């Protein structure tokens, strides 16, 4: 770790940790050394405020403001540090351990550019540094950055379709993105309006899978849903190829409990009024507002794989919902990477798994292999990158069945 003041024949200091005592954040020291080498220093809170006005601060790219529960008593000081840093053109990465959502909300609204929880997830600080360095770069010209123009007074009473992965890597985002795209293109003559909401505020990757930028407007809308109207909601969204409307995860990694059930209720109310279908990609974690989403859902797809972790998580998931008397009958279990038709042994395992968990596996999706990863990395729906993929065909069939069912219900009404 370098001293703050650059010395002759040493690398210039372009970043600093700011904390009560950086030794309380040993993982931060390690990650800063890995990412910045000798080009960073350490400051106390009071030292930071004095340093910002020094000539050396002009070379500063960012500070990593590290705080824990004890520092909440000095929230005014934390706010001043962020304000002064921003006033001098210095980015702020907020590192927080055991800090209340209200305090995080206040500091993020004050202008912190990134939030990373402590203990630091593997590689997350390096990613945050990359994002703050790229923040001032213009978005690629090919990316559509405008949202839909929403009209007040519309009430389409849209169907809410939820996708929830019961374990990491079960393909829930792949399914949500491609199901939304297939619904948006299901009827060539009279295409339904579809919006895709990424409610995984920490690791949501819908933006990546569709090559869309993450924007500050999303956080601004979510942080003040009481004043949100149709116009503000539309401005926070992006349009993909003029067919699919997307609310990406925010730019910053936000605590999942930063939003209340009432906040999510307001978002879903406007989304349902404006769109025929509202597809939601959920975080794998159950939070306070999970109940709100489940109650609003018309279909709740719970994704799992044929392994022990999925089986155990499915059982715990069911028990959690049943203990709160929530509508478990809305759940439709989806098995990703299901055995092939000729794999009789695999088919037997699927049957035994369903019986042991007392569930019905309603949808079985095949393993799409490398084309799926390539499509996600390139930011393209499977219909555009791998239209003949067996996985794409199954999702298209599922979308068609949902679309036809909604059409039949509308005619009956």
């Amino acid at each position: 770790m370098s001293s703050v003041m650059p010395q002759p024949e040493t690398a210039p200091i372009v970043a600093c940790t700011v904390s009560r005592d950086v030794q309380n954040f040993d993982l931060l020291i390690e990650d800063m050394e890995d990412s910045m080498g000798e080009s960073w220093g350490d400051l106390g809170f009071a030292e930071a405020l004095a340093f910002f006005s020094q000539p050396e601060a002009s070379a500063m790219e960012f500070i990593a403001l590290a705080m824990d529960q004890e520092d909440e008593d000095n929230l005014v000081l934390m706010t001043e540090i962020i304000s002064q840093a921003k006033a001098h053109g210095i980015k702020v990465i907020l590192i927080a351990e055991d800090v209340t959502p209200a305090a995080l909300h206040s500091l993020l609204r004050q202008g912190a550019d990134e939030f990373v929880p402590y203990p630091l997830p593997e590689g997350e600080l390096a990613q945050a540094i990359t994002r703050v360095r790229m923040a001032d770069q213009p978005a690629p010209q090919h990316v559509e950055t405008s949202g839909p123009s929403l009209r007040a007074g519309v009430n389409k009473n849209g169907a809410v379709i939820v996708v929830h992965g019961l374990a990491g890597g079960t393909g829930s985002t792949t399914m949500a993105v491609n199901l939304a795209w297939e619904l948006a293109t299901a009827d060539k003559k009279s295409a339904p309006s579809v919006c895709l909401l990424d409610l995984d505020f920490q690791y949501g990757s819908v933006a990546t899978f569709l090559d869309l930028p993450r924007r500050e407007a999303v956080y601004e809308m979510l942080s003040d849903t009481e004043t949100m109207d149709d116009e503000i909601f539309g401005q926070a969204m992006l349009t993909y190829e003029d067919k699919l409307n997307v609310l990406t995860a925010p730019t910053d990694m936000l605590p999942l409990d930063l939003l209340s059930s009432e906040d999510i209720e307001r978002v879903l109310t406007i989304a349902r009024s404006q769109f025929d279908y509202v597809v939601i990609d959920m975080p794998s974690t159950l939070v306070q507002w999970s109940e709100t989403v489940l109650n609003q859902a018309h279909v709740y797809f719970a994704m799992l794989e044929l392994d022990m972790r999925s089986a155990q998580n499915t059982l715990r998931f069911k028990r959690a919902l049943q203990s709160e008397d929530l509508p478990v009958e809305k759940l439709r279990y989806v098995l990703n990477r299901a055995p092939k038709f000729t794999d009789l042994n695999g088919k037997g395992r699927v049957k035994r798994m369903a019986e042991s968990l007392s569930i019905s596996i309603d949808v079985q999706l095949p393993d799409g292999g490398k084309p799926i990863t390539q499509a996600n990395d390139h930011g393209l729906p499977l219909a555009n990158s791998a239209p003949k993929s067996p996985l794409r065909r199954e999702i298209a069939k599922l979308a068609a069945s949902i679309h036809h069912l909604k059409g039949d219900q509308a005619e009956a009404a």
Side-chain angles (χ1 to χ4, degrees):
M1 181 173 64
S2 304
S3 63
V4 172
M5 301 300 291
Q7 301 296 326
E9 300 182 2
T10 62
I13 302 301
V14 296
C16 277
T17 56
V18 179
S19 63
R20 186 178 73 258
D21 183 355
V22 74
Q23 298 303 321
N24 295 333
F25 300 90
D26 53 344
L27 295 178
L28 176 59
I29 296 174
E30 294 176 7
D31 282 12
M32 286 291 287
E33 290 177 346
D34 290 342
S35 299
M36 305 302 298
E38 293 295 319
S39 300
W40 70 284
D42 172 58
L43 294 168
F45 296 140
E47 293 174 318
L49 290 175
F51 177 72
F52 292 146
S53 60
Q54 299 299 315
E56 293 82 359
S58 61
M60 193 69 57
E61 294 181 9
F62 70 90
I63 62 169
L65 176 59
M67 61 179 295
D68 55 24
Q69 189 175 21
E70 186 176 337
D71 296 316
E72 283 197 57
D73 294 335
N74 293 321
L75 205 57
V76 174
L77 179 58
M78 306 294 106
T79 299
E80 182 63 19
I81 291 172
I82 294 174
S83 298
Q84 289 297 320
K86 302 298 290 184
H88 288 83
I90 301 171
K91 302 290 186 181
V92 178
I93 299 176
L94 181 62
I95 314 292
E97 180 181 21
D98 296 330
V99 177
T100 63
L104 286 176
H105 185 217
S106 174
L107 295 174
L108 288 168
R109 291 201 67 178
Q110 190 62 36
D113 298 282
E114 289 283 337
F115 162 70
V116 182
Y118 191 90
L120 300 170
E122 184 71 28
E124 188 59 33
L125 180 63
Q127 294 178 30
I129 292 172
T130 299
R131 288 194 294 269
V132 298
R133 284 176 162 173
M134 296 179 62
D136 295 329
Q137 298 181 10
Q141 294 300 311
H142 69 280
V143 173
E144 175 60 61
T145 57
S146 62
S149 298
L150 304 182
R151 294 181 292 108
V154 177
N155 187 12
K156 295 190 175 183
N157 195 28
V160 178
I161 302 165
V162 183
V163 184
H164 187 143
L166 298 183
T170 56
S172 58
T173 300
T174 296
M175 178 173 172
V177 167
N178 286 281
L179 182 60
W181 179 251
E182 297 294 344
L183 286 169
T185 57
D187 192 333
K188 305 300 181 183
K189 295 181 180 179
S190 179
S193 57
V194 181
C195 76
L196 173 59
L197 308 181
D198 190 347
L199 297 189
D200 187 349
F201 303 133
Q202 293 190 338
Y203 295 105
S205 52
V206 166
T208 302
F209 286 15
L210 291 174
D211 194 21
L212 294 171
R214 301 170 191 258
R215 300 190 305 165
E216 291 294 336
V218 176
Y219 171 72
E220 292 171 2
M221 182 201 76
L222 294 175
S223 64
D224 190 12
T225 62
E226 292 184 2
T227 62
M228 178 183 63
D229 57 17
D230 301 271
E231 182 180 359
I232 293 174
F233 183 71
Q235 290 174 348
M237 303 187 80
L238 296 171
T239 302
Y240 183 81
E241 292 193 5
D242 295 324
K243 296 176 181 177
L244 177 62
N245 303 285
V246 184
L247 184 74
T248 69
T251 304
D252 300 311
M253 180 185 285
L254 303 180
L256 294 175
D257 56 357
L258 188 62
L259 271 70
S260 66
S261 298
E262 291 75 18
D263 292 322
I264 297 299
E265 180 86 31
R266 296 184 190 107
V267 171
L268 296 185
T269 297
I270 291 183
R272 291 192 62 194
S273 69
Q274 292 287 342
F275 298 96
D276 296 309
Y277 295 102
V278 179
V279 181
I280 300 175
D281 187 18
M282 289 286 284
S284 58
T285 305
L286 281 174
V287 287
Q288 177 187 5
W289 45 264
S290 297
E291 177 179 351
T292 302
V293 176
L294 178 59
N295 286 329
Q296 289 258 10
H298 293 80
V299 182
Y300 199 106
F301 291 115
M303 296 196 66
L304 62 153
E305 292 189 68
L306 192 56
D307 55 23
M308 185 59 69
R309 62 176 188 140
S310 291
Q312 292 175 340
N313 287 356
T314 299
L315 188 60
R316 296 162 68 194
F317 183 70
K318 273 185 57 184
R319 287 174 176 171
L321 299 187
Q322 290 170 338
S323 67
E324 299 294 330
D325 293 324
L326 296 177
V328 293
E329 64 275 5
K330 291 185 178 182
L331 299 179
R332 296 292 180 270
Y333 291 96
V334 179
L335 179 66
N336 197 17
R337 302 179 182 91
K340 295 181 179 180
F341 181 76
T342 55
D343 185 358
L344 299 182
N345 181 51
K347 292 290 185 182
R349 290 177 59 203
V350 173
K351 182 179 179 181
R352 291 193 296 272
M353 180 181 187
E355 290 174 348
S356 65
L357 297 174
S358 299
I359 64 173
S360 172
I361 298 178
D362 303 295
V363 181
Q364 296 191 35
L365 299 178
D367 186 351
K370 289 184 178 179
I372 310 306
T373 302
Q374 292 171 351
N376 293 339
D377 287 346
H378 294 155
L380 294 170
L382 294 177
N384 295 356
S385 63
K388 295 183 179 180
S389 164
L391 176 60
R392 184 260 163 165
R393 289 175 176 172
E394 289 301 317
I395 295 178
K397 290 178 184 177
L398 182 60
S401 66
I402 293 173
H403 185 58
H404 292 155
L405 177 61
K406 189 173 189 296
D408 294 341
Q409 291 175 340
E411 290 179 4

